[in-house]
Amino acid sequence: MFKVFFIFSMMIWLATANDAQGESFKSLQKKMEKKRLSKRYTSYQLYKNGHFFSALNYLKDYYKKAKKTNKKDPEMAKLMEVLLVKAGTESLGDLPDHMIKGINAPTVALILARRMYYKKDYKRALGYLAKIPSTHRLAPDAFIMRGMIAYEKKDDYASLSAYAQCSKITMSLKGGTKSAPLKRYYDILSQGCLINQARIYFKQKKFKKSLEFYSLIPKTSYHWPYIILEKAWNYYYLKDYNRVLGLLVTYKSPLLTSYFFPEAEMLKALAYYRLCLWDDALNVIKRYYSIYKSRSSKLHTMLTKHKDSHTFFFELVNTPIEKNEKKNMFIRNLVVMVKKKVKYNLDQFSYMNAKDEYYKLKKEPKGKLRSYGMIHVREDALYRKAKINHYTKTTFFNFLNDIYLFSQRLFTLKLEILSSQRHMMYAKKKFEKRKRGDLSEVSRQSDEYFFGFDGEFWADELGDYSFGLKSQCQQESSFERKGEE
Amino acid sequence: MSRVYLIIFTILSIGLFSSNSFGKETVIIKYKKYEKFDLGELEIKGSIIAPGDLSTSNLDVRKFSLQIYERKKFDDHMATQLRSLR
């Protein structure tokens, strides 16, 4: 977990390393007491001094009152770019569109594009995205958004093209940096673009093409545990139900115990149902209700109790894992999943920086500048804390909703299976006796080899399993009903 | 004692000789062990609007199919990925 956090923190710092030299905080504060200093000048000096959040707040104040021509100041725009990397893009969340749209900075353009996207004003969003050059570090993010806009407009071809560009640009940016954490970050972005292409092909029902893109994601990727389920859906529609079951059993391995998806249980039951292995399907459903229901009840109680809290979930995710394990396995697993997310790490990094700057300001001599800084930086830190809290809370609630949603869907499947069993009974048919598991039932490519399973999970084999179950669907036989005994 | 026997004998003989079968034919009643009804040959007055055959050979079971969930697209995953961008 520390490794993940370290990667993302180093990535941002190394990308914008600057020697922080300028007027000291003490002298700047003294100057401010004697005469009025411009917000421009103060912001720049604070930045040079390493007080990034304070500098950004002064810069925001500058833009709030600046004339239209002053907003186009290239030096300030450059400063805004750097400060947004240090403090995070959510720092401009309190400024309305008209106040920042004149700022000629690619990061601001991305912020505005995102706002327009969520307002469904795709034309304007594309206009802002066009302002981000393809050599900029945010170019991959811009192309991801382009891809989504094209997808929303039902233009799959344009969407695929945008995601392909995203992968290309990300690889180019990766080649241009020597920083290992940045290289890994670009890898994550590039893989995200490949996965989205796979998802578009899935929607188009081009399942084999979709699987080709999923196969490009290495097993060491952060995305890999999530795409196992998506690959399984592709195999489901290709009617390779043994491969579906093999993929989903990967979640049982010790390495992936933190990853639990209710949808995976649904797909497992569905695969057994399609193979007409109704007893197995009913067992999956029974286990879902008996094991997961009790765990979800505890989670439900916790969420209901703290649903209005602005700090509980933040503290939960920052609690050591050993303490969470004692509470509930779901809570423990969800916390681990949240902590591995890119968004959480970026927000956490931003929060820690704000907190550090606050304590740094506290050590400075009292004065106007210190007071201003402490008030605003404290607000920034609390805002980021609330943001992490909200993100974690949303993840927990979505998970719980999924449990209930798939519980309902599994119940529908159970009714369908019971109906099929009754129909067979009335038609005086039954399944013949059969043996379970046969290599002849496994479909594999020419480069896939067969290894027997002796109760061990080998890391390099994870995600490549397949069952060898024979479908019972064509094996019905008639029988004479026996007399009542 | 002899008088009692005389009275009993008189009553019994009256009962025997006063039966209706005395001087008539003996009627033997036999019940049938199996009886068959051919419903097809029955005639009903009026127009027949329903078939005569009331039996059903196979139980006509109507199988209702419920809509089982099958994922069609990953729009929700794509939206989540976009929200996690900087």
Side-chain angles (χ1 to χ4, degrees), chain A residues 101-323:
Chain A
K101 69 178 183 180
I103 305 172
N104 189 18
T107 310
V108 176
L110 184 69
I111 292 166
L112 285 163
R114 195 161 61 207
R115 288 185 191 183
M116 293 302 118
Y117 171 82
Y118 286 116
K119 286 182 189 172
K120 297 191 190 303
D121 190 347
Y122 299 133
K123 193 178 173 186
R124 268 198 182 157
L126 287 170
Y128 285 121
L129 290 173
K131 292 181 180 180
I132 302 171
S134 58
T135 50
H136 193 266
R137 59 182 175 79
L138 290 176
D141 301 67
F143 273 98
I144 290 172
M145 199 170 291
R146 278 176 195 269
M148 268 314 287
I149 290 170
Y151 186 76
E152 293 286 342
K153 287 159 95 179
K154 314 281 182 216
D155 188 351
D156 288 353
Y157 179 77
S159 186
L160 285 167
S161 174
Y163 286 124
Q165 271 286 90
C166 160
S167 296
K168 202 173 153 187
I169 283 167
T170 319
M171 285 295 112
S172 157
L173 286 170
K174 182 186 168 186
T177 179
K178 289 178 185 173
S179 155
L182 258 179
K183 282 181 187 284
R184 272 189 227 115
Y185 179 69
Y186 285 133
D187 270 339
I188 290 171
L189 280 181
S190 168
Q191 287 156 14
C193 293
L194 288 170
I195 290 168
N196 276 343
Q197 289 179 74
R199 286 166 180 163
I200 293 171
Y201 282 122
F202 174 83
K203 196 195 84 168
Q204 291 178 345
K205 299 185 184 175
K206 293 176 183 171
F207 304 115
K208 286 189 177 171
K209 188 80 181 173
S210 176
L211 285 168
E212 277 176 26
F213 278 88
Y214 282 123
S215 68
L216 296 171
I217 311 299
K219 292 179 186 178
T220 48
S221 166
Y222 289 108
H223 293 291
W224 185 71
Y226 301 93
I227 64 164
I228 293 171
L229 179 58
E230 296 184 17
K231 279 172 72 173
W233 275 112
N234 277 285
Y235 279 113
Y236 174 82
Y237 285 110
L238 289 170
K239 297 189 184 350
D240 190 351
Y241 305 118
N242 281 312
R243 189 68 67 168
V244 171
L245 293 167
L247 273 165
L248 296 176
V249 88
T250 311
Y251 287 123
K252 299 286 181 205
S253 77
L255 277 169
L256 296 176
T257 47
S258 305
Y259 297 90
F260 169 68
F261 304 104
E263 193 176 342
E265 300 300 304
M266 174 81 208
L267 186 51
K268 204 185 296 180
L270 258 179
Y272 279 125
Y273 170 70
R274 294 295 177 202
L275 288 168
C276 295
L277 296 170
W278 294 332
D279 291 336
D280 296 89
L282 289 172
N283 270 337
V284 170
I285 298 168
K286 188 179 166 187
R287 200 171 60 242
Y288 186 93
Y289 287 130
S290 62
I291 295 175
Y292 303 121
K293 190 180 183 303
S294 59
R295 284 189 204 170
S296 63
S297 303
K298 206 168 178 182
L299 181 64
H300 179 95
T301 309
M302 185 196 82
L303 291 179
T304 316
K305 192 177 169 187
H306 300 285
K307 63 181 168 69
D308 296 324
S309 169
H310 294 292
T311 54
F312 174 80
F313 294 94
F314 174 84
E315 276 147 26
L316 180 69
V317 84
N318 283 298
T319 308
I321 289 179
E322 301 77 37
K323 284 189 182 175

Side-chain angles (χ1 to χ4, degrees), chain A residues 376-393:
Chain A
H376 285 89
V377 173
R378 184 173 176 271
E379 273 174 17
D380 287 337
L382 287 174
Y383 173 68
R384 279 149 181 83
K385 188 177 180 182
K387 202 165 165 253
I388 294 168
N389 186 78
H390 177 79
Y391 173 73
T392 310
K393 194 191 328 185

Side-chain angles (χ1 to χ4, degrees), chain A residues 18-28 31 41-51:
Chain A
N18 250 315
D19 287 342
Q21 285 176 5
E23 208 168 330
S24 73
F25 189 89
K26 208 170 172 178
S27 72
L28 190 66
K31 257 189 191 173
Y41 176 79
T42 313
S43 173
Y44 186 73
Q45 291 303 322
L46 283 167
Y47 155 68
K48 282 288 189 187
N49 223 283
H51 293 90

